[in-house]
Amino acid sequence: MQLDPKTIRVDGGTQPRAELLIEVMEDYAEQMRGGVEFPPITVFFDGKNYWLVDGFHRLGAHQRVRPNATIEAEVIQGTQTEAQWYSLGANKTHGLRRTPEDRRRAVQAALRHPTGSARSDREIAEHIGVSPSTVAKYREQLKLQSGVQIGHLGNGQSGQKRKGRDGKDYPARRTASHSGNGKRDKPSRHMASRIHHPIRAPSPLEKMTTVTLPHNPVMGARTLIEVFDADYLRAVVDELTRHLKGLAR
């Protein structure tokens, strides 16, 4: 289907890459000028808006070469939320190779997404194109940062479900139940070995994230950037600067 690029929305949270590269757009544009045919971009249509989910660099290149021309697009009927989930799995087998930061952003977005919150580490890994251990690592990091469980490894409250690999919904694991008298029910011996015991949610003053830093300062900085957000790191830099100034006196 031919679409006017001006009608395609790129601001719907459907771009999981850490950044779009101008040099890649310019390279694609040069190839287009030479007659190279690129695959259609992919968009989701919710009845009102076209949400771009795959082909951000191709769209940017097309607008450089043919700013007033339509672009070939594969159109999928779906909501913006569905478009966001789809986009997290885009580029895992084609297009510009994703960076570690791209994969980190995709995994964390999947864990926070309504669809991903009901899926296992293996299902999320298959959708994004990473290993289950990678998903588990970032799930644990998000849990430690927020102080709560992320996704289907929650506290097993009544009504919580997770989606299995067969597509069916199953009750989430429960740590323990409470009887009507307010006391915690003791699990059976059979269930005790299968129970998932979540880490106690710490108070705001107790929240900590364990990070192993390499001795190389550059690699150490990159590790911190991957784990913590910018505001936290700025605060850490300010504290370190004040501390080091005191030592220099």
Side-chain angles (χ1 to χ4, degrees):
M1 179 177 178
Q2 294 291 325
L3 291 179
D4 181 348
K6 298 184 182 65
T7 66
I8 299 173
R9 298 284 297 273
V10 297
D11 58 346
T14 59
Q15 202 327 80
R17 289 189 186 275
E19 61 178 342
L20 294 177
L21 303 178
I22 300 300
E23 57 267 32
V24 173
M25 294 184 190
E26 295 290 354
D27 178 58
Y28 285 3
E30 187 62 28
Q31 293 183 53
M32 289 178 182
R33 294 186 186 98
V36 176
E37 293 290 335
F38 282 76
I41 62 174
T42 304
V43 301
F44 268 61
F45 182 61
D46 62 6
K48 179 181 178 181
N49 294 301
Y50 291 98
W51 302 102
L52 181 62
V53 296
D54 189 12
F56 283 81
H57 286 104
R58 279 170 279 160
L59 178 62
H62 175 88
Q63 291 175 311
R64 283 166 167 73
V65 178
R66 309 181 186 96
N68 298 316
T70 58
I71 186 171
E72 182 67 25
E74 177 190 1
V75 180
I76 301 174
Q77 299 293 324
T79 65
Q80 181 182 357
T81 300
E82 291 171 331
Q84 292 168 347
W85 177 252
Y86 180 98
S87 72
L88 298 176
N91 296 130
K92 65 181 179 182
T93 59
H94 68 275
L96 179 66
R97 185 174 181 178
R98 294 179 301 180
T99 66
E101 176 67 8
D102 292 338
R103 292 192 290 272
R104 181 188 71 82
R105 285 170 56 90
V107 171
Q108 292 186 337
L111 289 168
R112 295 187 179 103
H113 193 277
T115 300
S117 65
R119 302 200 176 189
S120 67
D121 292 347
R122 183 170 298 278
E123 288 178 297
I124 292 175
E126 290 177 351
H127 180 64
I128 296 176
V130 297
S131 67
S133 61
T134 296
V135 178
K137 178 184 73 172
Y138 288 122
R139 187 190 295 276
E140 183 67 15
Q141 287 183 3
L142 290 176
K143 181 182 70 175
L144 291 171
Q145 290 172 16
S146 63
V148 298
Q149 294 281 3
I150 304 296
H152 80 282
L153 294 182
N155 58 13
Q157 294 178 355
S158 177
Q160 281 192 319
K161 293 182 181 295
R162 68 175 179 84
K163 189 176 291 295
R165 297 189 68 183
D166 57 3
K168 297 180 180 180
D169 290 331
Y170 295 93
R173 294 182 188 180
R174 301 192 61 168
T175 56
S177 60
H178 291 76
S179 58
N181 59 13
K183 295 182 178 180
R184 183 184 294 267
D185 294 337
K186 186 177 181 179
S188 67
R189 181 178 299 177
H190 172 70
M191 290 299 296
S193 63
R194 301 173 57 192
I195 282 178
H196 170 75
H197 297 284
I199 299 174
R200 176 180 62 86
S203 69
L205 294 179
E206 296 175 328
K207 289 183 181 178
M208 298 183 67
T209 299
T210 302
V211 180
T212 301
L213 294 178
H215 290 283
N216 184 316
V218 175
M219 297 305 297
R222 290 180 180 177
T223 301
L224 291 173
I225 290 171
E226 182 172 321
V227 175
F228 298 102
D229 60 36
D231 289 338
Y232 176 83
L233 291 176
R234 292 190 187 96
V236 170
V237 170
D238 290 342
E239 289 298 323
L240 286 173
T241 300
R242 282 194 287 269
H243 178 71
L244 293 174
K245 285 182 177 179
L247 292 177
R249 292 174 182 173

